[in-house]
PDB file of all heavy atoms in Angstrom:
ATOM      1  N   GLU A 401      34.697  85.039 140.721  1.00 97.00           N
ATOM      2  CA  GLU A 401      33.465  84.777 141.455  1.00 97.00           C
ATOM      3  C   GLU A 401      32.581  83.758 140.717  1.00 97.00           C
ATOM      4  O   GLU A 401      32.396  83.922 139.523  1.00 97.00           O
ATOM      5  CB  GLU A 401      32.663  86.066 141.673  1.00 97.00           C
ATOM      6  CG  GLU A 401      31.557  85.862 142.685  1.00 97.00           C
ATOM      7  CD  GLU A 401      30.810  87.156 143.025  1.00 97.00           C
ATOM      8  OE1 GLU A 401      30.699  88.039 142.160  1.00 97.00           O
ATOM      9  OE2 GLU A 401      30.334  87.269 144.150  1.00 97.00           O
ATOM     10  N   ALA A 545      30.663  93.621 135.595  1.00 98.00           N
ATOM     11  CA  ALA A 545      31.838  94.068 136.305  1.00 98.00           C
ATOM     12  C   ALA A 545      32.011  93.255 137.572  1.00 98.00           C
ATOM     13  O   ALA A 545      31.109  92.541 137.974  1.00 98.00           O
ATOM     14  CB  ALA A 545      31.748  95.548 136.671  1.00 98.00           C
ATOM     15  N   MET A 546      33.184  93.391 138.190  1.00 98.00           N
ATOM     16  CA  MET A 546      33.485  92.624 139.415  1.00 98.00           C
ATOM     17  C   MET A 546      34.236  93.496 140.382  1.00 98.00           C
ATOM     18  O   MET A 546      35.216  94.155 140.020  1.00 98.00           O
ATOM     19  CB  MET A 546      34.312  91.398 139.037  1.00 98.00           C
ATOM     20  CG  MET A 546      34.670  90.535 140.228  1.00 98.00           C
ATOM     21  SD  MET A 546      33.177  89.761 140.977  1.00 98.00           S
ATOM     22  CE  MET A 546      33.763  89.573 142.676  1.00 98.00           C
ATOM     23  N   GLU A 547      33.792  93.435 141.636  1.00 98.00           N
ATOM     24  CA  GLU A 547      34.232  94.364 142.655  1.00 98.00           C
ATOM     25  C   GLU A 547      35.535  93.961 143.347  1.00 98.00           C
ATOM     26  O   GLU A 547      35.656  94.148 144.549  1.00 98.00           O
ATOM     27  CB  GLU A 547      33.127  94.482 143.717  1.00 98.00           C
ATOM     28  CG  GLU A 547      32.907  93.219 144.558  1.00 98.00           C
ATOM     29  CD  GLU A 547      31.825  92.260 144.071  1.00 98.00           C
ATOM     30  OE1 GLU A 547      31.504  92.307 142.866  1.00 98.00           O
ATOM     31  OE2 GLU A 547      31.304  91.448 144.867  1.00 98.00           O
ATOM     32  N   HIS A 578      27.843 100.783 141.628  1.00 98.00           N
ATOM     33  CA  HIS A 578      27.499  99.459 142.199  1.00 98.00           C
ATOM     34  C   HIS A 578      28.800  98.773 142.710  1.00 98.00           C
ATOM     35  O   HIS A 578      28.862  98.317 143.851  1.00 98.00           O
ATOM     36  CB  HIS A 578      26.828  98.636 141.096  1.00 98.00           C
ATOM     37  CG  HIS A 578      26.575  97.186 141.416  1.00 98.00           C
ATOM     38  ND1 HIS A 578      25.310  96.629 141.345  1.00 98.00           N
ATOM     39  CD2 HIS A 578      27.400  96.167 141.746  1.00 98.00           C
ATOM     40  CE1 HIS A 578      25.380  95.334 141.657  1.00 98.00           C
ATOM     41  NE2 HIS A 578      26.633  95.043 141.895  1.00 98.00           N
ATOM     42  N   GLU A 579      29.812  98.753 141.871  1.00 98.00           N
ATOM     43  CA  GLU A 579      31.050  98.092 142.266  1.00 98.00           C
ATOM     44  C   GLU A 579      31.716  98.816 143.426  1.00 98.00           C
ATOM     45  O   GLU A 579      32.299  98.208 144.331  1.00 98.00           O
ATOM     46  CB  GLU A 579      32.027  97.992 141.082  1.00 98.00           C
ATOM     47  CG  GLU A 579      31.486  97.257 139.845  1.00 98.00           C
ATOM     48  CD  GLU A 579      30.821  95.938 140.158  1.00 98.00           C
ATOM     49  OE1 GLU A 579      31.296  95.223 141.072  1.00 98.00           O
ATOM     50  OE2 GLU A 579      29.828  95.610 139.484  1.00 98.00           O
ATOM     51  N   HIS A 582      30.293  97.937 146.685  1.00 98.00           N
ATOM     52  CA  HIS A 582      30.800  96.640 147.132  1.00 98.00           C
ATOM     53  C   HIS A 582      32.089  96.751 147.959  1.00 98.00           C
ATOM     54  O   HIS A 582      32.437  95.820 148.674  1.00 98.00           O
ATOM     55  CB  HIS A 582      31.115  95.761 145.936  1.00 98.00           C
ATOM     56  CG  HIS A 582      29.955  94.970 145.414  1.00 98.00           C
ATOM     57  ND1 HIS A 582      29.097  94.279 146.217  1.00 98.00           N
ATOM     58  CD2 HIS A 582      29.534  94.725 144.149  1.00 98.00           C
ATOM     59  CE1 HIS A 582      28.207  93.647 145.483  1.00 98.00           C
ATOM     60  NE2 HIS A 582      28.435  93.908 144.221  1.00 98.00           N
ATOM     61  N   PHE A 585      30.047  96.939 151.115  1.00 97.00           N
ATOM     62  CA  PHE A 585      29.105  95.820 151.164  1.00 97.00           C
ATOM     63  C   PHE A 585      29.654  94.672 150.313  1.00 97.00           C
ATOM     64  O   PHE A 585      29.445  94.636 149.087  1.00 97.00           O
ATOM     65  CB  PHE A 585      27.753  96.213 150.577  1.00 97.00           C
ATOM     66  CG  PHE A 585      26.847  96.895 151.548  1.00 97.00           C
ATOM     67  CD1 PHE A 585      26.488  98.224 151.345  1.00 97.00           C
ATOM     68  CD2 PHE A 585      26.322  96.236 152.646  1.00 97.00           C
ATOM     69  CE1 PHE A 585      25.632  98.874 152.212  1.00 97.00           C
ATOM     70  CE2 PHE A 585      25.460  96.879 153.517  1.00 97.00           C
ATOM     71  CZ  PHE A 585      25.116  98.184 153.297  1.00 97.00           C
ATOM     72  N   LEU A 597      24.404  85.795 149.521  1.00 95.00           N
ATOM     73  CA  LEU A 597      24.918  86.607 148.438  1.00 95.00           C
ATOM     74  C   LEU A 597      24.186  87.954 148.361  1.00 95.00           C
ATOM     75  O   LEU A 597      24.750  88.991 148.058  1.00 95.00           O
ATOM     76  CB  LEU A 597      24.773  85.845 147.129  1.00 95.00           C
ATOM     77  CG  LEU A 597      25.181  86.519 145.841  1.00 95.00           C
ATOM     78  CD1 LEU A 597      26.649  86.889 145.877  1.00 95.00           C
ATOM     79  CD2 LEU A 597      24.880  85.622 144.661  1.00 95.00           C
ATOM     80  N   LYS A 600      25.387  91.325 149.768  1.00 95.00           N
ATOM     81  CA  LYS A 600      26.179  92.290 149.013  1.00 95.00           C
ATOM     82  C   LYS A 600      25.483  92.720 147.716  1.00 95.00           C
ATOM     83  O   LYS A 600      25.485  93.899 147.393  1.00 95.00           O
ATOM     84  CB  LYS A 600      27.599  91.753 148.725  1.00 95.00           C
ATOM     85  CG  LYS A 600      27.708  90.634 147.737  1.00 95.00           C
ATOM     86  CD  LYS A 600      29.175  90.217 147.567  1.00 95.00           C
ATOM     87  CE  LYS A 600      29.383  89.118 146.577  1.00 95.00           C
ATOM     88  NZ  LYS A 600      29.351  89.585 145.163  1.00 95.00           N
ATOM     89  N   GLU A 601      24.873  91.771 146.991  1.00 95.00           N
ATOM     90  CA  GLU A 601      24.338  92.154 145.674  1.00 95.00           C
ATOM     91  C   GLU A 601      23.090  93.018 145.740  1.00 95.00           C
ATOM     92  O   GLU A 601      22.907  93.931 144.960  1.00 95.00           O
ATOM     93  CB  GLU A 601      24.122  90.923 144.790  1.00 95.00           C
ATOM     94  CG  GLU A 601      25.399  90.221 144.381  1.00 95.00           C
ATOM     95  CD  GLU A 601      26.418  91.129 143.701  1.00 95.00           C
ATOM     96  OE1 GLU A 601      26.073  92.240 143.285  1.00 95.00           O
ATOM     97  OE2 GLU A 601      27.589  90.726 143.646  1.00 95.00           O
ATOM     98  N   SER A 602      22.202  92.700 146.661  1.00 95.00           N
ATOM     99  CA  SER A 602      20.994  93.528 146.763  1.00 95.00           C
ATOM    100  C   SER A 602      21.358  94.953 147.181  1.00 95.00           C
ATOM    101  O   SER A 602      20.829  95.930 146.640  1.00 95.00           O
ATOM    102  CB  SER A 602      20.014  92.949 147.788  1.00 95.00           C
ATOM    103  OG  SER A 602      19.694  91.603 147.472  1.00 95.00           O
ATOM    104  N   ALA A 604      24.338  96.462 146.730  1.00 97.00           N
ATOM    105  CA  ALA A 604      25.067  97.172 145.668  1.00 97.00           C
ATOM    106  C   ALA A 604      24.122  97.577 144.539  1.00 97.00           C
ATOM    107  O   ALA A 604      24.253  98.658 143.978  1.00 97.00           O
ATOM    108  CB  ALA A 604      26.204  96.276 145.137  1.00 97.00           C
ATOM    109  N   ASP A 605      23.156  96.727 144.247  1.00 97.00           N
ATOM    110  CA  ASP A 605      22.209  97.034 143.195  1.00 97.00           C
ATOM    111  C   ASP A 605      21.359  98.235 143.569  1.00 97.00           C
ATOM    112  O   ASP A 605      21.124  99.145 142.772  1.00 97.00           O
ATOM    113  CB  ASP A 605      21.331  95.812 142.894  1.00 97.00           C
ATOM    114  CG  ASP A 605      20.950  95.724 141.445  1.00 97.00           C
ATOM    115  OD1 ASP A 605      21.862  95.726 140.619  1.00 97.00           O
ATOM    116  OD2 ASP A 605      19.756  95.654 141.129  1.00 97.00           O
ATOM    117  N   PHE A 660      23.261  84.318 140.790  1.00 94.00           N
ATOM    118  CA  PHE A 660      23.514  85.718 140.389  1.00 94.00           C
ATOM    119  C   PHE A 660      22.358  86.101 139.476  1.00 94.00           C
ATOM    120  O   PHE A 660      22.535  86.221 138.272  1.00 94.00           O
ATOM    121  CB  PHE A 660      24.875  85.827 139.725  1.00 94.00           C
ATOM    122  CG  PHE A 660      26.008  85.605 140.682  1.00 94.00           C
ATOM    123  CD1 PHE A 660      26.382  84.336 141.058  1.00 94.00           C
ATOM    124  CD2 PHE A 660      26.645  86.686 141.272  1.00 94.00           C
ATOM    125  CE1 PHE A 660      27.403  84.139 141.989  1.00 94.00           C
ATOM    126  CE2 PHE A 660      27.659  86.501 142.205  1.00 94.00           C
ATOM    127  CZ  PHE A 660      28.033  85.211 142.571  1.00 94.00           C
ATOM    128  N   TYR A 665      19.737  90.176 142.840  1.00 96.00           N
ATOM    129  CA  TYR A 665      20.063  91.562 142.519  1.00 96.00           C
ATOM    130  C   TYR A 665      18.820  92.450 142.576  1.00 96.00           C
ATOM    131  O   TYR A 665      18.676  93.286 143.460  1.00 96.00           O
ATOM    132  CB  TYR A 665      20.661  91.660 141.096  1.00 96.00           C
ATOM    133  CG  TYR A 665      22.093  91.168 141.016  1.00 96.00           C
ATOM    134  CD1 TYR A 665      22.420  89.836 141.166  1.00 96.00           C
ATOM    135  CD2 TYR A 665      23.121  92.067 140.770  1.00 96.00           C
ATOM    136  CE1 TYR A 665      23.726  89.401 141.095  1.00 96.00           C
ATOM    137  CE2 TYR A 665      24.452  91.644 140.696  1.00 96.00           C
ATOM    138  CZ  TYR A 665      24.758  90.311 140.856  1.00 96.00           C
ATOM    139  OH  TYR A 665      26.038  89.911 140.786  1.00 96.00           O
TER     140      TYR A 665
HETATM  141 ZN1   ZN B 204      27.562  93.248 142.419  1.00 53.30          ZN
END
Side-chain angles (χ1 to χ4, degrees):
E401 192 175 31
M546 180 66 208
E547 69 266 22
H578 172 124
E579 302 312 325
H582 273 314
F585 276 115
L597 178 60
K600 71 180 181 79
E601 291 307 344
S602 303
D605 214 54
F660 291 80
Y665 284 69

